[in-house]
Amino acid sequence: MAKKSLIHWERKRQKLKQKYHLIRRSSKKEISKVPPLSEKWKIHGKLQSSPRNSAPTRLHQRCFSTGRPRANYRDFGLSGHILREMVHACFLSGTTRSSW
Amino acid sequence: MGQKINPLGFRLGTTQSHHSLWFAQPKKYSEGLQEDKKIRDCIKNYVQKNMRLSSGVEGIARIEIQKRLYLIQVIIYMGFPKLLIEDKPRKLEELQMNVQKELNCMNRKLNIAITRIGNPYGHPNILAEFIAGQLKNRVSFRKAMKKAIELTEQADTKGIQIQIVGRIDGKEIARVEWIREGRVPLQTIGAKIEYCSYRVRTIYGVLGIKIWIFIDEE
């Protein structure tokens, strides 16, 4: 089980990303539209002024049940080990062992 | 010791049905899974809390969750649903309120139903809880296993295998003990086998109990 502080930092980043999502998107569109470079610097300044943790690239997928930062599958939001346990416990509808 | 696959997972396409039945688009699948996990944890904690007050053996065999567009149907299969059914239907409503608070979804109704299983000791989860209780009270493990097997013989089972691993009887050196009655054909996919793996926390550490019950063969 990952440290609780790490899991909470991830949640904080997700909240900030939600909060600043529209602002960032509109700023990025403006940059691509406006031709002169000086204008681009100004808009870039706006982008930089939003907090770092609002950037979506800073998010890291974690397993929602254990918080493991590695071996995560986006389809399930789980790490491989927990995924295997849940499949065997018949909790994931439609999943079976594959063999062909 | 060979590596044995979990017999439930082994038979998932054929003899074993899933405990969660719902469909979700790939992007929403993990949210559905998280909801399921919250429901199951909420129910188990609630039952455990109330069990301490009344000291009965309330075994939850399994929790089935079916989801539709506007309804979440939860069916709890229990062995001895005394608390939740007989005394007052208030307990069931309390459980429903708790789960709804956890989920906080406004657009879907939640419906919890409780089904009693015919032979409660024919199901490995309930049997495992029984053995766990015995081991915690420091009954000799052989006695506990044999008593469990007697209970299953009253229910209709064709075979049972029980394995206990860990510091048995509190000894320093951990070992594995298992007994089998009847036949338990693990390699036959057509055989319906119920399986449970349960952890007991004793003062000496954790004991692992695994129970395989052979129910029927097609």
Side-chain angles (χ1 to χ4, degrees):
Chain A
M1 181 83 197
K3 273 178 26 176
K4 276 195 181 169
S5 59
L6 296 177
I7 303 177
H8 281 284
W9 289 344
E10 274 310 311
R11 249 183 248 162
K12 183 170 140 196
R13 286 189 193 112
Q14 277 170 1
K15 266 196 229 156
L16 280 179
K17 172 199 159 196
Q18 286 268 338
K19 192 170 153 201
Y20 285 86
H21 180 59
L22 291 174
I23 303 177
R24 287 184 82 93
R25 200 165 62 171
S26 68
S27 297
K28 286 189 184 168
K29 261 196 187 168
E30 270 188 62
I31 283 194
S32 59
K33 280 191 193 163
V34 172
L37 195 59
S38 51
E39 300 281 314
K40 291 202 190 196
W41 280 124
K42 277 190 216 161
I43 304 175
H44 190 67
K46 227 204 286 181
L47 257 186
Q48 271 186 333
S49 67
S50 61
R52 274 193 185 176
N53 277 339
S54 63
T57 40
R58 291 193 131 217
L59 287 178
H60 198 311
Q61 302 268 346
R62 277 184 185 264
C63 169
F64 72 73
S65 121
T66 52
R68 190 158 199 265
R70 292 178 196 247
N72 292 313
Y73 288 91
R74 286 191 184 188
D75 292 332
F76 305 97
L78 290 170
S79 73
H81 185 70
I82 305 291
L83 176 64
R84 189 168 186 269
E85 281 183 11
M86 289 183 85
V87 168
H88 285 319
C90 316
F91 288 163
L92 305 187
S93 64
T95 50
T96 51
R97 305 189 73 220
S98 77
S99 63
W100 66 93
Chain B
M1 200 186 214
Q3 298 312 320
K4 292 176 189 33
I5 183 143
N6 185 322
L8 297 175
F10 190 41
R11 290 163 174 77
L12 263 179
T14 52
T15 344
Q16 179 76 23
S17 56
H18 296 265
H19 293 332
S20 288
L21 294 172
W22 42 270
F23 172 78
Q25 296 285 345
K27 290 209 167 174
K28 302 280 180 183
Y29 196 90
S30 69
E31 288 174 22
L33 275 186
Q34 295 183 40
E35 273 182 11
D36 271 12
K37 179 163 188 267
K38 280 186 200 163
I39 296 176
R40 290 201 163 97
D41 284 342
C42 197
I43 295 178
K44 281 199 196 137
N45 290 341
Y46 187 83
V47 169
Q48 261 193 353
K49 249 199 301 187
N50 289 348
M51 197 180 94
R52 222 165 273 158
L53 298 177
S54 79
S55 80
V57 185
E58 287 208 38
I60 302 181
R62 64 181 190 271
I63 301 176
E64 285 198 1
I65 301 182
Q66 298 174 10
K67 291 195 201 160
R68 308 214 176 136
L69 266 186
Y70 299 113
L71 171 69
I72 300 182
Q73 172 82 18
V74 179
I75 308 177
I76 309 179
Y77 288 81
M78 294 187 80
F80 314 98
K82 280 187 312 191
L83 254 195
L84 288 182
I85 287 191
E86 273 171 31
D87 285 347
K88 323 136 190 174
R90 200 164 52 90
K91 290 274 179 172
L92 190 62
E93 279 171 24
E94 218 185 298
L95 178 58
Q96 208 156 333
M97 295 294 293
N98 282 1
V99 179
Q100 232 163 1
K101 252 190 267 174
E102 281 279 331
L103 287 186
N104 59 22
C105 59
M106 288 293 113
N107 45 3
R108 285 205 255 185
K109 267 196 310 174
L110 177 75
N111 187 10
I112 300 188
I114 299 193
T115 316
R116 158 179 281 191
I117 313 182
N119 298 316
Y121 287 119
H123 197 101
N125 289 64
I126 302 175
L127 204 63
E129 284 181 26
F130 168 77
I131 297 183
Q134 300 259 323
L135 290 177
K136 269 192 198 172
N137 295 337
R138 296 187 225 175
V139 174
S140 138
F141 73 96
R142 282 248 171 245
K143 258 193 188 171
M145 289 207 277
K146 287 205 174 149
K147 190 141 188 239
I149 292 191
E150 270 178 36
L151 287 171
T152 44
E153 277 173 11
Q154 294 170 9
D156 276 327
T157 54
K158 294 196 188 162
I160 177 171
Q161 178 172 335
I162 304 180
Q163 171 183 303
I164 302 184
V165 177
R167 295 183 63 178
I168 299 178
D169 286 339
K171 297 276 172 64
E172 254 187 40
I173 301 189
R175 56 183 206 273
V176 183
E177 292 283 347
W178 61 272
I179 49 174
R180 181 199 300 159
E181 282 280 325
R183 43 186 284 258
V184 187
L186 289 175
Q187 312 282 30
T188 311
I189 300 187
K192 282 194 196 148
I193 296 198
E194 297 270 353
Y195 166 83
C196 165
S197 159
Y198 194 76
R199 270 185 240 168
V200 201
R201 301 190 65 180
T202 60
I203 50 175
Y204 298 110
V206 176
L207 290 175
I209 303 177
K210 286 190 182 175
I211 303 184
W212 292 260
I213 297 187
F214 173 40
I215 298 181
D216 213 355
E217 189 164 31
E218 279 182 30

